[in-house]
Amino acid sequence: MDGETDDDPSVRPLTEAEQRIASELKTGLQKYWGYQSFRPLQREAMTLVMTDHDSLVVLPTGGGKSLCYQVPAVSRNGLAIVVSPLISLMKDQVDSLESAGVAAACINSMQTGREKADVASKIRNGELKLLYIAPERLVQERTLEFLQMTKVSFVAIDEAHCISQWGHDFRPEYRKLSCLRDVFPGISIHGYTATATEVVRSDIAEQLKLKSPEILVGSFDRPNLQYRVEQRTDAVLQIQEILQRHQGESGVIYCISRKGVETTSLSLNALGFKTLPYHAGMEDEDRRRNQDAFIEEKVQIIVATVAFGMGIDKSNVRFVIHAGMPRSLENYQQESGRAGRDGLEAECTLLYSGGDVETWEYLMRDIADPEVLQASRASLKSMQRYCISLTCRHQQLVRHFGQSLESQNCGACDVCLEEMQPVDEPLIVGQKVLSSIVRQGQRFGAAYTAHVLKGRKNKRIIEYKHDQLSTYGLLKDESEHQIRNWIDQLVSLGCIRQVGEFNCLEVTDKGWQILRGEYKPQLLMIRQTAKKQTREDHWEGVNRELFEELRILRLRLAGQKNVPPYIIFSDATLRDLARQRPTSFDRLRAVYGVGTQKVSEYGDTLVKAIAEWCAKNHVPTDVKSEELVAVNKTTRSSSISLAQSSLYFDQFEKKRTIDEVAVQLDRSRGTVGQYLQEYIRLHKMTDIEHWVPTPLRKRIEVALDSVGTERLKPVFEALEGQIPYEEIRLVIVAREVASQ
Ligand code: ADP
Ligand code: ZN
């Protein structure tokens, strides 16, 4: 994991040469993309490209892989060749590069002869920085000959796992890429993937004939995603509840079957939501139309099978719901990972029922190869374990990929947020349910069993004289719904088996262990869903009405340009616009994700719209971002990476000041301040003399006492603007620690 092991290149100060490269890269990052700092491992990955060192970069979806080659491509002389598997992906990337002012193009089979000739002439004239191309086209002799006459800066292979048979998306056409090493001698090759396994990794390096490649593997954690698992009781009702939290926002609902897709989509539409279906059984054209409507934000919700998603780069998906359990954790990671690529908070909920396992087993019945069958079953088991376990979801996911999280509480899953409520006496509840099944002769299904336990008087029960059983009405104080749910949980735990055409319940060996008191199951209450917490930190200071206004403006601009809205501006940029509310170009440049090209293209429109709206609604404009960011009291700051923290913490150990660390690590004062806050919290430090000397601290405390800590700007002003925000925040944190 990055930043945590001794041999990691990031855990040391930069050499002079690296600093020079870093500052050059940063200039490009700011100018074209409007970003102020690198994401974890980006600087390292980019440096390898700049220094012609073969590399393989493994980062999760949304980790920022594209920039790892795009920024160096801008910086270097010549043309970077980017291999990408899908036309839709290429098009998206080229649109987004062009909108940032970077000269890029693609060659694909959908282009007309004229378009192709146009690209070729741009290449000949050295006008392009990046060329996207599909593998099968690149390896054509004609293409290679043509490119050999061009100055190629480096080759980047996106979705590099497609080259490996061991990966989940093997594409034979990728295999041919092994010729690149010989065709372009002396030119470095760089692979990028989100697929983590060791086998796939070394296979990629081997197939591409990488020369002593540097392999960078990032943390697989996605801290901005909030994971939840809910027992499925009434899927549509549960989905509806989630949708209500995300009005107007984009999301994907995955169902296991085509039929599930259709009925779910129809039911939701009947409830007044606007959704479109997507599955492999639809006509190509219908499918494409629905996908486009989603990407262009004409419709916000898509209900789909797993056929949907590959090639979707939409960055502002705010929720992914699984109406049924996926067949493996790899699948879950991938599908849920389509949420929150922009780094903003997003919600991933999995609705699960014990029956899902049987559905998958049924679907797997045709697998002939015993090895594959065994592997599929093992994957299914891990997936099921995830659903019923009470361990932090983030922790479980990263562990599955061979990593681990330092933090004991991720603050972003149902387990850590304590939304799961365990049953007080699970052994007794389990015994009640199981003994009823035994006494009924193991010949009845779940609904009937629940009726007996609830103490219902219906015809069948009386006929069988089950109203005379000692278990009759044993759980009469619980809802029937809850009882059914416990039966379902016991099925998931392998304590009950459902057999035959009528799914009669049978007690398994594990179930008998419960009856004998030898095994205590973990059982949960059905969640009272009302008080679900959503994370608000990314919304801090954002004027939501203005955000909505800007979203409409973005949609209009996107329509004019004929590109998806998120290519114009990401959601993160819209939020920052609605937070800082710039009315001048100078201020606009300070907004997250606004580079030079965007200022010249949309500056006038934006500044005018913001000024007008703010004047009409009496909302202040031109707010500096640092004035807004109050200290986040409960969760760790969103912009710091746990994986990188040891790099900073080492410096704090040595008692270096904020400014010294900022220079040493080439980071902003604000970033260093955030890590220092975390360091102080972690070590429960109340003495921060080293960073804020006592006289200064006293002054800050006086100001805090007089104006409070809700907003920082008034504190800053009370101190006559003489003391930086970082120091003020440190004092607040130290006081928080002291009061715990
Ligand atoms: P990946 O290819 O790894 O899934 P992307 O390259 O698509 O990820 O990046 C995901 C999102 O994060 C994009 O919207 C991108 O613009 C943004 N991003 C990437 N690097 C940075 C950075 N250094 N600072 C801010 N945003 C970034
Ligand atoms: Zn957690």
Side-chain angles (χ1 to χ4, degrees):
M1 216 161 129
D2 57 310
E4 284 183 348
T5 51
D6 288 333
D7 57 358
D8 189 297
S10 67
V11 191
R12 59 167 170 74
L14 303 188
T15 64
E16 242 175 66
E18 283 168 338
Q19 276 185 24
R20 229 182 7 254
I21 294 175
S23 97
E24 189 183 338
L25 291 166
K26 214 164 181 180
T27 309
L29 187 68
Q30 287 167 347
K31 179 172 170 206
Y32 294 100
W33 283 271
Y35 297 146
Q36 299 306 318
S37 53
F38 300 110
R39 292 250 179 95
L41 291 186
Q42 275 184 332
R43 188 193 58 75
E44 292 81 351
M46 292 179 196
T47 304
L48 292 167
V49 179
M50 295 297 282
T51 53
D52 283 323
H53 193 131
D54 282 2
S55 63
L56 177 60
V57 176
V58 188
L59 283 176
T61 309
K65 285 184 288 298
S66 330
L67 263 68
C68 292
Y69 54 83
Q70 290 171 345
V71 179
V74 171
S75 243
R76 293 190 60 156
N77 283 324
L79 175 75
I81 298 175
V82 184
V83 179
S84 177
L86 294 177
I87 295 179
S88 61
L89 281 180
M90 289 187 211
K91 201 174 145 331
D92 219 54
Q93 295 271 348
V94 171
D95 281 348
S96 136
L97 284 165
E98 282 186 329
S99 82
V102 177
C106 58
I107 300 184
N108 65 52
S109 52
M110 303 288 278
Q111 286 168 317
T112 61
R114 207 195 145 89
E115 282 169 329
K116 279 181 202 148
D118 188 39
V119 174
S121 110
K122 280 189 183 154
I123 295 174
R124 241 179 261 117
N125 298 336
E127 289 169 27
L128 290 183
K129 300 296 336 176
L130 295 108
L131 176 71
Y132 281 77
I133 188 162
E136 60 276 17
R137 183 157 290 265
L138 173 61
V139 298
Q140 280 173 11
E141 211 163 311
R142 254 181 342 155
T143 319
L144 288 175
E145 271 170 23
F146 176 68
L147 289 172
Q148 275 171 318
M149 291 184 297
T150 317
K151 178 166 173 40
V152 173
S153 50
F154 63 90
V155 179
I157 316 238
D158 208 3
E159 313 287 351
H161 58 274
C162 293
I163 203 169
S164 173
Q165 265 179 326
W166 310 108
H168 57 83
D169 191 22
F170 173 57
R171 288 165 182 256
E173 64 273 19
Y174 258 69
R175 271 291 153 90
K176 305 212 177 95
L177 295 173
S178 58
C179 73
L180 294 177
R181 175 94 289 159
D182 307 318
V183 177
F184 296 109
I187 287 174
S188 61
I189 299 179
H190 307 270
Y192 302 85
T193 176
T195 304
T197 69
E198 284 285 347
V199 196
V200 176
R201 244 180 259 163
S202 42
D203 198 24
I204 296 173
E206 198 174 312
Q207 299 286 339
L208 288 174
K209 300 192 192 155
L210 299 186
K211 268 197 302 230
S212 40
E214 186 84 59
I215 300 185
L216 298 177
V217 183
S219 163
F220 273 82
D221 189 33
R222 302 273 313 273
N224 61 316
L225 303 188
Q226 221 179 47
Y227 293 108
R228 291 193 172 84
V229 180
E230 283 181 24
Q231 285 277 327
R232 186 170 66 243
T233 46
D234 179 338
V236 170
L237 196 76
Q238 286 167 292
I239 293 170
Q240 185 184 6
E241 195 223 329
I242 300 170
L243 298 186
Q244 270 153 0
R245 283 202 290 279
H246 292 279
Q247 283 181 20
E249 297 180 334
S250 290
V252 184
I253 302 169
Y254 280 111
C255 299
I256 299 180
S257 67
R258 296 172 188 181
K259 190 158 159 280
V261 166
E262 274 160 12
T263 53
T264 308
S265 175
L266 286 176
S267 314
L268 290 170
N269 291 350
L271 287 166
F273 296 99
K274 220 175 127 194
T275 76
L276 285 175
Y278 184 105
H279 59 70
M282 290 163 59
E283 292 292 327
D284 277 0
E285 199 181 315
D286 293 339
R287 228 173 25 188
R288 194 162 41 238
R289 201 180 41 232
N290 289 358
Q291 171 168 325
D292 287 348
F294 178 66
I295 289 175
E296 288 158 15
E297 301 195 357
K298 290 179 181 140
V299 65
Q300 300 289 357
I301 306 163
I302 198 122
V303 186
T305 56
V306 292
F308 179 79
M310 182 67 180
I312 303 287
D313 246 351
K314 188 169 159 54
S315 68
N316 60 345
V317 173
R318 296 268 72 85
F319 62 91
V320 171
I321 303 171
H322 279 77
M325 187 184 83
R327 74 188 141 94
S328 72
L329 274 172
E330 281 81 1
N331 278 77
Y332 187 59
Q333 158 101 351
Q334 254 213 346
E335 289 149 25
S336 64
R338 299 200 168 111
R341 290 175 81 119
D342 51 15
L344 299 177
E345 79 292 332
E347 187 177 347
C348 306
T349 304
L350 197 168
L351 304 179
Y352 156 81
S353 147
D356 292 346
V357 178
E358 280 140 48
T359 306
W360 281 116
E361 273 174 358
Y362 178 77
L363 293 171
M364 284 171 185
R365 74 193 183 284
D366 291 335
I367 300 179
D369 184 337
E371 247 176 72
V372 177
L373 186 64
Q374 199 186 359
S376 308
R377 290 222 169 107
S379 297
L380 195 59
K381 263 250 141 13
S382 310
M383 186 67 240
Q384 190 188 11
R385 224 173 293 126
Y386 173 88
C387 293
I388 55 181
S389 147
L390 288 180
T391 311
C392 168
R393 312 278 176 206
H394 283 262
Q395 188 71 265
Q396 288 191 64
L397 281 167
V398 299
R399 274 197 200 142
H400 184 74
F401 295 101
Q403 301 181 334
S404 88
L405 288 184
E406 281 171 42
S407 151
Q408 293 303 311
N409 186 320
C410 75
C413 80
D414 49 0
V415 179
C416 295
L417 291 169
E418 295 179 357
E419 294 174 351
M420 318 272 296
Q421 201 193 335
V423 168
D424 283 341
E425 292 178 301
L427 183 62
I428 294 181
V429 171
Q431 286 175 337
K432 285 179 178 173
V433 174
L434 294 169
S435 61
S436 195
I437 295 172
V438 173
R439 275 162 228 266
Q440 292 158 207
Q442 311 199 70
R443 288 188 293 120
F444 296 85
Y448 183 88
T449 307
H451 288 166
V452 173
L453 284 160
K454 177 73 187 170
R456 281 241 236 148
K457 259 203 169 14
N458 63 30
K459 206 164 137 245
R460 262 179 101 207
I461 291 182
I462 295 168
E463 237 170 64
Y464 286 110
K465 298 199 169 62
H466 284 165
D467 54 341
Q468 290 163 29
L469 289 180
S470 59
T471 55
Y472 180 76
L474 204 53
L475 290 172
K476 64 176 183 305
D477 295 334
E478 304 291 343
S479 72
E480 220 169 273
H481 184 48
Q482 176 69 78
I483 302 171
R484 280 290 301 265
N485 185 254
W486 280 329
I487 295 175
D488 211 20
Q489 291 184 47
L490 287 164
V491 172
S492 310
L493 290 168
C495 306
I496 301 174
R497 189 173 32 233
Q498 289 173 302
V499 291
E501 196 184 342
F502 302 108
N503 281 328
C504 295
L505 305 182
E506 254 179 39
V507 177
T508 62
D509 288 349
K510 204 162 164 197
W512 281 104
Q513 285 178 10
I514 296 182
L515 284 169
R516 292 194 299 265
E518 293 163 5
Y519 164 69
K520 189 171 114 187
Q522 279 183 326
L523 292 177
L524 300 171
M525 301 292 290
I526 291 178
R527 193 189 345 240
Q528 301 305 317
T529 36
K531 57 171 195 325
K532 203 157 291 167
Q533 309 172 39
T534 48
R535 294 214 294 179
E536 289 288 315
D537 43 351
H538 296 282
W539 280 105
E540 185 146 354
V542 177
N543 183 309
R544 293 219 188 195
E545 286 165 49
L546 177 57
F547 175 82
E548 291 306 325
E549 200 69 20
L550 292 171
R551 202 152 72 164
I552 296 167
L553 177 65
R554 174 174 70 176
L555 201 59
R556 212 181 65 219
L557 293 171
Q560 286 166 7
K561 290 248 153 196
N562 201 17
V563 292
Y566 60 88
I567 299 264
I568 306 266
F569 289 118
S570 72
D571 273 21
T573 300
L574 280 200
R575 287 192 198 182
D576 209 27
L577 283 168
R579 182 185 287 127
Q580 301 199 42
R581 307 186 280 276
T583 60
S584 68
F585 280 17
D586 248 4
R587 283 300 177 87
L588 185 57
R589 274 184 211 107
V591 170
Y592 176 92
V594 180
T596 320
Q597 170 83 12
K598 303 246 160 134
V599 173
S600 62
E601 202 160 336
Y602 308 111
D604 276 332
T605 317
L606 276 179
V607 164
K608 197 159 144 266
I610 291 171
E612 266 175 23
W613 189 90
C614 290
K616 199 168 85 200
N617 295 283
H618 309 287
V619 170
T621 56
D622 301 302
V623 186
K624 282 194 186 156
S625 63
E626 65 264 29
E627 291 163 0
L628 285 159
V629 188
V631 177
N632 189 332
K633 291 185 181 138
T634 47
T635 50
R636 83 184 123 99
S637 167
S638 52
S639 52
I640 81 164
S641 135
L642 273 186
Q644 290 265 307
S645 49
S646 60
L647 178 64
Y648 290 83
F649 292 2
D650 279 354
Q651 302 278 331
F652 303 142
E653 289 296 325
K654 293 181 192 140
K655 300 281 181 242
R656 298 231 162 94
T657 64
I658 299 182
D659 293 301
E660 283 167 353
V661 179
V663 172
Q664 188 79 33
L665 300 181
D666 188 29
R667 296 291 196 270
S668 71
R669 209 173 189 276
T671 304
V672 177
Q674 287 186 337
Y675 280 96
L676 185 50
Q677 283 173 34
E678 201 56 32
Y679 179 78
I680 290 170
R681 280 205 193 100
L682 192 71
H683 296 279
K684 303 212 181 331
M685 295 170 86
T686 49
D687 175 6
I688 52 166
E689 177 72 27
H690 215 83
W691 297 282
V692 189
T694 308
L696 188 62
R697 176 167 178 167
K698 289 223 166 99
R699 269 185 70 194
I700 298 174
E701 293 199 326
V702 171
L704 288 174
D705 290 336
S706 73
V707 295
T709 59
E710 281 305 299
R711 311 275 295 170
L712 284 190
K713 193 177 177 192
V715 185
F716 183 73
E717 282 171 350
L719 292 161
E720 290 162 342
Q722 292 165 350
I723 299 173
Y725 282 98
E726 287 77 33
E727 274 77 357
I728 302 177
R729 291 200 190 95
L730 291 183
V731 173
I732 299 180
V733 172
R735 291 224 293 196
E736 244 176 68
V737 171
S739 69
Q740 276 163 9

